[in-house]
Amino acid sequence: MMFRRDPFHILEAYIQSVGDMQQNYAQLKTALQNINNIIDFAEHKVGAALEAEQAEEISEVGLQWLEGVHQGGNMDTLRDQAKQALD
């Protein structure tokens, strides 16, 4: 499977690899807090090299997105906000 290599698409692919935002909240939260796993995923699944700072930013944005969904926010709006934050 091919993924785009920009930070937002790495985040989106990482989330999809772990589970559904609405059904797998705890699992996704744990995964998004693991910077090393984000770096490994980007390298081995996407073919992108991330610095720790980039992975931390992806983590932060992903956790904000996840929390918004968990609190009943609009999925499309939250996705757009995450994309803008990482552009």
Side-chain angles (χ1 to χ4, degrees), residues 12-61:
E12 193 170 49
Y14 184 66
I15 288 170
Q16 290 172 359
S17 77
V18 176
D20 181 86
M21 285 184 129
Q22 295 172 328
Q23 296 177 2
N24 303 103
Y25 171 79
Q27 184 179 355
L28 271 166
K29 185 173 182 178
T30 299
L32 286 165
Q33 292 171 332
N34 191 323
I35 303 304
N36 289 329
N37 280 359
I38 294 170
I39 292 170
D40 289 345
F41 177 85
E43 182 178 346
H44 298 290
K45 300 292 185 185
V46 181
L50 290 180
E51 298 293 326
E53 282 181 9
Q54 293 171 300
E56 288 170 7
E57 184 178 15
I58 289 170
S59 171
E60 280 182 37
V61 171

Side-chain angles (χ1 to χ4, degrees), residues 67-80:
E67 285 302 317
V69 170
H70 184 67
Q71 293 174 10
N74 180 282
M75 180 69 103
D76 292 333
T77 300
L78 292 164
R79 181 184 184 278
D80 289 344

